Amino acid sequence: MAKSPQGVSRYWFVEPSDLETRLSQDYHEATKTSEFLFSFGAEDPKRSPAVMEIINAVAGKSKSYGYFPRINLTPATWENLDTPIGTLIKSRRTNRKLLEKPITLEELSTLLVYGAGINGAIGIGENTSRDGRTYPSGGGLYPLEIYPIILNVEGVEEGVYHFDVRNQCINCLESGDVRTKVKEAYLGEKMLEKAAVCFFVTAIFKRTSFKYGERAYRLVNIEAGHLIHNVMYVGQALGLSIIPINGFFDRRLEKLINVDGIEESILYTAIGGCV
């Protein structure tokens, strides 16, 4: 990693041009929904049989690494997460003082399955339904993927994993000590020295853009926020700390999980551990 001046290796520098109108602002303006006159006629074309067939073929799909080593996830019961929501909201703080101790496989399972898993079916017509999840998604399309990076979980080998939401398991994509690589990708973040797990959230953009066009980029980022927020509250109820982090070298993390950064790209991450 290229060296930075002493004492500033973890900070960005703001250039004068950063204070001017940027591409992000142009994008936001260009993707506002405009008002115009339109007529659907008798039926909404977005709900025509042909369009619904495409939506149902895409919605809720997720990547599968079934040929990689698999660990089934068994979460705690819902009754174990009995902290009142008012208590969670009132006491919410980001606790960065992690302890150097492992979390359990049950805790990891609960974070993934209850934070980002399937929680029932969505009725979409007569005798037709598709899976719903514990967080909202634009159009119920669910374009996100989750890659847990296991650093210190009881009974689970360290390495890079993928969460298979449909089969409620994780698959090991690469085993071994990846802590140093992850820490460097997070600009040397010291919390990585004691973290037990990281969650990398990516989006496969075409799962949403085929329906929502350029506005889809807004939707996938909002959805990533919903997902991480869920995981944070589940962690809080378990007595763990889940810390959202968006300061990282994108391409390093994408290389670690072997995604191209174009069709599928990292949006948001969190690290977690005991406190």
Side-chain angles (χ1 to χ4, degrees):
M1 182 169 59
K3 292 184 178 180
S4 301
Q6 186 176 4
V8 295
S9 61
R10 293 185 52 246
Y11 296 87
W12 289 278
F13 292 96
V14 177
E15 299 291 340
S17 60
D18 293 326
L19 304 178
E20 301 171 2
T21 300
R22 308 300 292 172
L23 183 60
S24 58
Q25 294 170 295
D26 293 337
Y27 166 81
H28 191 80
E29 180 63 29
T31 57
K32 291 179 179 178
T33 302
S34 300
E35 297 181 47
F36 57 92
L37 295 176
F38 62 91
S39 175
F40 283 155
E43 295 184 0
D44 181 347
K46 297 193 300 300
R47 295 187 176 276
S48 68
V51 173
M52 289 304 298
E53 183 177 357
I54 296 173
I55 291 174
N56 292 334
V58 172
K61 299 302 182 186
S62 60
K63 295 171 73 173
S64 176
Y65 293 89
Y67 42 89
F68 284 82
R70 167 176 172 158
I71 298 175
N72 292 324
L73 299 176
T74 305
T77 64
W78 282 108
E79 288 71 25
N80 286 353
L81 299 180
D82 59 358
T83 307
I85 186 65
T87 300
L88 292 175
I89 294 172
K90 183 179 180 180
S91 60
R92 198 220 69 79
R93 289 292 182 274
T94 301
N95 188 342
R96 296 175 172 82
K97 296 180 180 179
L98 300 179
L99 301 178
E100 194 172 355
K101 59 183 294 187
I103 65 172
T104 67
L105 178 56
E106 182 181 90
E107 288 171 332
L108 175 68
S109 301
T110 305
L111 289 167
L112 288 169
V113 176
Y114 293 167
I118 293 171
N119 67 343
I122 303 171
I124 54 172
E126 188 175 349
N127 301 320
T128 306
S129 65
R130 59 175 181 258
D131 292 334
R133 301 187 192 177
T134 59
Y135 60 93
S137 175
L141 297 173
Y142 295 105
L144 304 184
E145 299 284 342
I146 307 169
Y147 297 83
I149 310 301
I150 305 302
L151 303 173
N152 194 5
V153 177
E154 290 179 357
V156 182
E157 189 174 6
E158 293 181 48
V160 178
Y161 290 75
H162 173 264
F163 174 42
D164 187 331
V165 64
R166 290 180 172 275
N167 292 306
Q168 199 168 300
C169 68
I170 54 175
N171 296 97
C172 183
L173 311 184
E174 177 187 343
S175 61
D177 183 3
V178 294
R179 191 182 294 269
T180 300
K181 290 182 181 179
V182 174
K183 183 180 178 182
E184 289 179 351
Y186 277 108
L187 289 72
E189 173 57 62
K190 291 185 177 180
M191 286 186 291
L192 266 297
E193 296 171 3
K194 297 181 179 180
V197 63
C198 301
F199 300 104
F200 295 175
V201 179
T202 69
I204 298 178
F205 299 107
K206 287 184 178 179
R207 289 183 186 164
T208 298
S209 64
F210 83 93
K211 181 178 181 181
Y212 294 108
E214 293 294 340
R215 196 173 175 88
Y217 189 68
R218 289 195 194 195
L219 297 179
V220 296
N221 280 282
I222 292 168
E223 185 173 330
H226 291 317
L227 188 158
I228 290 294
H229 198 245
N230 257 19
V231 175
M232 289 172 65
Y233 273 135
V234 173
Q236 188 178 347
L238 292 172
L240 304 173
S241 181
I242 306 298
I243 305 150
I245 297 185
N246 204 35
F248 50 78
F249 294 121
D250 301 61
R251 291 182 179 85
R252 290 198 185 200
L253 297 188
E254 289 165 350
K255 182 178 180 180
L256 188 65
I257 59 177
N258 195 30
V259 301
D260 63 10
I262 300 172
E263 298 292 332
E264 179 180 0
S265 186
I266 197 157
L267 297 181
Y268 204 6
T269 76
I271 70 173
C274 298
V275 290

